[in-house]
Structures are given as structure tokens and as C-alpha cells.
Amino acid sequence: MSMNKFMHPRNIYRQKPDFKALVKQCPELTAVTTVDLNGRLKLDYKDKKALQLLTTCLLKRDFGLQIDLPPDKLVPTLPLRLNYILWLEDLEDALGWKSRPEVRGLDIGCGASCIYPLLGVVHSKHRWRMVGLELLEDSVMAARKNVEGNSLQEYIDVVQQESEDGSILKDFMGEKERFDFCMCNPPFFDDHDGAVHENRTSQRKEPPNASTGSDKELRIEGGELRFLERIIDESLELKERITVYTSMIGHKKNFEEILRIMKRRSISNVTTTRFCQGNTTRWGIAWSFSSAALLANVPDRFEQESSNRKSVGKPLEGKILSLEDVENFDSAQTNLLSVLKSLDLQINPLKGETEHMWELVAQDNTWSHQRRKRREAKRKLSPGSENRNNQERELDGASNSDGTPSKKLKSEQSCCEPVLKAVLCLKSKEGGYYLGLSYLSGIAGKDALNQILQFVKNNICS
């Protein structure tokens, strides 16, 4: 499903490009476009060369930027990158920075394209002064070439990242460097993952776009979660030397974990958003230690757009029991609540309602990957595993000896925003008992309702 309707309202790519007009301006696109039966020009997004040409043409037409994209490097998708830049501009506006003649930013891992510094400087009308920090030597050379090719050396410095202890920011910052903000689009994948571009399941559709980028751009030890956790820990030392720290996050489960890490580190001045474009959603997070940067004032454009489009529709509904399966309605309700209790969900009765309704609050996603969790539980109960289990519990504090969540884990979950809030309704109709679920809020999204309904169907006892 296209997410363009939830793009930042100032994003010029909310509407798909007019390829006929674009081909007239960039005749080289004719080599990678076809004409369908209705006479419309179409681009093959699975062709890496087509993506490169499209990106370079759009940058030239819309921003006046001439960029050389090496064939083996990541091709930046402009709608996503522009969404990030526009969010930073919202941050500027909310914090009163728009009146400044100059704002200084740091891009952690600018890549060969140097796309964020280039877009930031041009879009801010040369108010931003950017430093692009890059680890790969060939990407540093390519990024500098792109800066020089657009005569923006006065506004953008590309710096080779060198660190003996594996630090991301500390060594570069030294004792004097200061920035208004930093930004980051970390490598998504862990070095120990399988093939970077393979599907998670055989049922999942192939991505609509060609995969681009080298392994060194896409992989890092611990993946984006550990990379961003290191930035968070270094920010605790650097504090206000960078006024606002920001990053993009590629996986929802990592976004949820980063919020927990923030809570565990007692970082409370935090704001988040979503970057929606095409068939892709990414998450943005910003945090600060400065009392002059109250991030609660930064508008969340995604929430505004989704609120404007929100309509009251029918809840997700499914049959969970037949009338013959249980004696009466009370028995059906007892069985339902027993299944939900096994997921460690908070179920609150809604008083004053004519039907049997509850509010569901989930602090964590406990309904996914149940088979894997059962296998892990069996492994931990196998002979000779007791010592290892004790060590694991000491390290992560995840569970008690009976397998129930520990107080430490529960306290960590309780301090986080719920991943899901929903309303549940149990009805008797059409020869059975039906469970209805209505989404209220939470980063787990509406997909979680389908997953919970399926879990109940699979586990409810007649």
C-alpha cells in the first residue's frame, strides 16, 4: 500500500513524477523507460541503472545538484531523504533556529553521494553548514567530488572517520567541536545476518525497487540497533556539545528497543516521527540534553496527517468459537481472557458499556514468533541447561526461574510508551462468538490486531 499520503506535507514527491516531462528534460532516461498499452511511460524500478539515472535527473531538475553516483554504492531514495530534511527543518522552526543566519549540522556516514549535506545546504538556502563524516575511503573521495562539483566547499566538509577504539563521535569531536544537530542513517544489517536482500519469509513480496549498496554500507557489527546504542552512550558523555541528536531507524522492532534504551539511560527529552513514502516506512528519533531544546514542541507531521485522514470504520472481527464449543457466553469470555492473559497483556474492562468490551494495553510485542519462543523455552529446559539459564537471567534479567517476566523487565516495560492500545469486544451472533478489535494507537500498528486475532483463534480452548 502506498504511504505517499502520509508523506511530509512539504515533500515535493507526494505526487509521482511526470515521466513524460522528465524524459524531455533528461533524454538519457529513454534508455530505461518503456511505454505501456495506454501510452504511459514506465520506469523499471528493479533496474539499478534506472534508479541511478532517475535520482541524478531529479536532483538536477528539482535542486540544481549535479551528482555522480558510483555504480557499486548506495543509490539514495529522494522522497525518504527529503522527509528527513523536512523533519529537521520542523525541528529548527520549533526550537527557534530559523532566525539564525547559520545552523551547523553533522551527518554520520554521509556516503559516496553526500546526499544529506547537499540537500540540507540547498534546501535551507545555504543557511546550514554541514560536516559529512565517512569511514570508507573511496566513499570519502566520491563525496568530496560531489561537493566540489556543486561548488559547495564553503558549506560542506567531508571528513574521513578514524577511530582506534571504535567510537563514532567522541574521537572526531575532540575537545572543541560543537554542532546544533547531528543526523544518521545507520547500516541496517548485522554482520552475522544472512543475505542482506533475502526475504524474511517465502510469502513476503519481493521489494519493488532494486537493491543497491555495498555490504560495507549496509552491514555493521550488531546492525543499526547496536550502532545507534553506541551513539546514545557517547551522547551521554558529549551532552550539549551537540544540541540535538537525531537518527533514522529502519526496523520497527529496533525502534521499539531504542525507546526502551532511552528510558533505561534516563533520557527523557525525546521526540519521534515516521517517514512514509511509497511502500516504505522508516522511523525518526531525536533526543537532547539541552533545556533550551524542548523536543515536545516539535510537531509530528505523521501523526497530524494520519489524524486528518482517520475515520471511524468497522473493527477487525473474527469468529473464535462456535456456540457448540462452550456452554454459554460467560464461558467464552473466560476462555478469551485466559488466552489474552498468556500474552502478558493489560486488559481493562470498559465500564458503562452495553457489550463486553475491554481496553488492551501492550507494553511489548508478545504475540509474534510464538513458535520460536516455545523452541527457546524447551531448549532452556533441556538437561544440563540450568547453569546456562541462570547465567542468562543474571545477564539480561529477563525472567525468573518459573519463566515469568522479572520485576526488572516489567519495570523497564512500564516506563515505555505502549506498543499497542486497542479496544476488544466479544459478541455472540450468527452461530458463534466473535472477537472485534479496534486500533487506538501504538507503533505496533493495525497489523498487530490481525496477529492477535490469529493467536486467539489458534490457542482458544473449546
Side-chain angles (χ1 to χ4, degrees):
M1 181 183 69
S2 175
M3 299 294 290
N4 283 11
K5 60 187 177 182
F6 297 119
M7 265 197 207
H8 194 288
R10 297 199 307 276
N11 196 315
I12 61 175
Y13 300 117
R14 283 170 72 104
Q15 300 296 326
K16 290 184 177 180
D18 182 343
F19 282 118
K20 283 188 176 180
L22 189 58
V23 167
K24 289 180 181 179
Q25 294 171 306
C26 304
E28 58 269 33
L29 278 174
T30 56
V32 293
T33 53
T34 57
V35 181
D36 66 13
L37 295 176
N38 296 318
R40 293 174 297 193
L41 284 176
K42 297 184 70 176
L43 186 78
D44 183 4
Y45 288 95
K46 291 186 178 293
D47 184 343
K48 294 181 181 180
K49 182 181 178 182
L51 291 181
Q52 284 185 319
L53 280 173
L54 176 63
T55 299
T56 54
C57 289
L58 290 175
L59 284 169
K60 181 179 179 181
R61 184 192 72 173
D62 298 331
F63 302 99
L65 290 168
Q66 300 273 4
I67 289 187
D68 179 27
L69 297 174
D72 59 335
K73 295 295 184 179
L74 192 67
V75 176
T77 52
L78 291 186
L80 174 58
R81 269 62 179 181
L82 187 55
N83 269 341
Y84 197 166
I85 294 293
L86 292 168
W87 182 55
L88 290 173
E89 289 184 355
D90 289 341
L91 185 149
E92 274 192 290
D93 198 29
L95 300 182
W97 294 357
K98 281 290 182 76
S99 58
R100 293 187 190 176
E102 180 177 312
V103 171
R104 195 160 188 248
L106 172 66
D107 180 19
I108 304 169
C110 66
S113 66
C114 202
I115 188 65
Y116 284 121
L118 290 168
L119 276 181
V121 167
V122 171
H123 208 265
S124 69
K125 296 180 172 56
H126 298 80
R127 287 179 51 256
W128 288 12
R129 299 293 193 274
M130 295 292 298
V131 172
L133 196 59
E134 175 55 45
L135 180 64
L136 304 176
E137 186 175 355
D138 58 343
S139 292
V140 169
M141 300 299 291
R144 287 174 178 168
K145 181 179 177 182
N146 283 325
V147 172
E148 293 166 3
N150 290 281
S151 302
L152 293 174
Q153 303 94 308
E154 179 184 348
Y155 304 96
I156 301 172
D157 290 325
V158 178
V159 178
Q160 174 95 41
Q161 186 177 22
E162 297 178 359
S163 174
E164 295 181 357
D165 61 1
S167 77
I168 298 170
L169 287 171
K170 288 192 302 179
D171 287 354
F172 164 73
M173 292 289 290
E175 297 181 358
K176 297 181 180 179
E177 290 282 9
R178 290 184 176 272
F179 291 91
D180 294 302
F181 71 88
C182 71
M183 62 190 307
C184 182
N185 185 8
F188 283 1
F189 301 97
D190 191 335
D191 272 341
H192 304 296
D193 289 340
V196 166
H197 305 306
E198 68 184 6
N199 285 340
R200 288 199 296 267
T201 68
S202 59
Q203 290 80 23
R204 186 173 177 179
K205 292 182 179 180
E206 289 290 332
N209 291 358
S211 299
T212 65
S214 65
D215 265 7
K216 289 184 178 179
E217 291 177 294
L218 300 174
R219 293 178 181 271
I220 196 166
E221 171 123 19
E224 66 174 357
L225 178 61
R226 295 306 160 218
F227 187 86
L228 189 47
E229 185 176 18
R230 283 161 59 196
I231 294 179
I232 292 170
D233 288 337
E234 290 185 27
S235 76
L236 289 166
E237 297 182 46
L238 296 169
K239 294 286 186 176
E240 295 183 40
R241 291 180 57 195
I242 298 178
T243 306
V244 180
Y245 301 80
T246 78
S247 182
M248 185 189 297
I249 304 173
H251 299 294
K252 183 167 70 174
K253 64 178 182 179
N254 291 340
F255 176 62
E256 297 169 6
E257 181 59 26
I258 287 298
L259 291 177
R260 295 188 186 93
I261 290 171
M262 292 284 188
K263 292 291 186 179
R264 291 198 289 266
R265 306 295 196 274
S266 299
I267 301 173
S268 57
N269 190 8
V270 178
T271 190
T272 63
T273 192
R274 295 191 202 187
F275 304 123
C276 300
Q277 49 284 308
N279 299 304
T280 304
T281 299
R282 298 285 182 260
W283 289 262
I285 188 165
W287 68 100
S288 177
F289 303 96
S290 172
S291 59
L294 299 179
L295 298 180
N297 296 329
V298 181
D300 186 339
R301 299 294 184 182
F302 172 81
E303 290 296 334
Q304 292 176 358
E305 288 294 301
S306 58
S307 296
N308 291 339
R309 296 174 178 271
K310 190 177 293 183
S311 60
V312 178
K314 292 183 178 179
L316 175 69
E317 191 172 271
K319 184 176 179 180
I320 58 173
L321 289 167
S322 298
L323 291 177
E324 297 78 15
D325 291 335
V326 288
E327 295 181 0
N328 50 39
F329 192 98
D330 289 342
S331 179
Q333 176 176 307
T334 299
N335 287 354
L336 170 63
L337 295 179
S338 176
V339 172
L340 295 174
K341 184 178 180 181
S342 71
L343 291 175
D344 197 26
L345 303 174
Q346 184 180 343
I347 307 296
N348 306 315
L350 293 176
K351 296 180 180 180
E353 300 292 341
T354 58
E355 299 176 281
H356 293 256
M357 300 180 70
W358 305 267
E359 180 191 49
L360 177 153
V361 180
Q363 295 293 345
D364 200 2
N365 182 339
T366 57
W367 50 87
S368 297
H369 309 298
Q370 288 295 319
R371 289 182 181 176
R372 186 188 68 190
K373 291 173 182 175
R374 286 195 294 270
R375 286 197 302 268
E376 291 177 351
K378 288 181 180 179
R379 176 180 59 81
K380 290 182 178 181
L381 292 174
S382 62
S385 65
E386 185 61 30
N387 290 336
R388 183 178 69 248
N389 293 341
N390 289 336
Q391 292 173 351
E392 289 174 350
R393 284 193 293 270
E394 289 174 4
L395 288 172
D396 59 24
S399 61
N400 299 313
S401 58
D402 60 357
T404 59
S406 70
K407 291 182 179 179
K408 177 182 177 183
L409 182 60
K410 286 186 176 180
S411 66
E412 288 175 355
Q413 290 179 347
S414 65
C415 70
C416 299
E417 290 297 320
V419 300
L420 178 67
K421 283 187 177 182
V423 171
L424 308 181
C425 175
L426 181 64
K427 296 180 180 180
S428 172
K429 65 175 187 177
E430 299 174 5
Y433 297 97
Y434 287 74
L435 175 62
L437 302 96
S438 299
Y439 174 81
L440 295 178
S441 64
I443 56 179
K446 293 182 180 179
D447 286 346
L449 302 185
N450 285 294
Q451 295 164 0
I452 292 174
L453 178 58
Q454 191 60 49
F455 181 88
V456 171
K457 288 180 178 180
N458 294 342
N459 291 274
I460 196 163
C461 297
S462 57

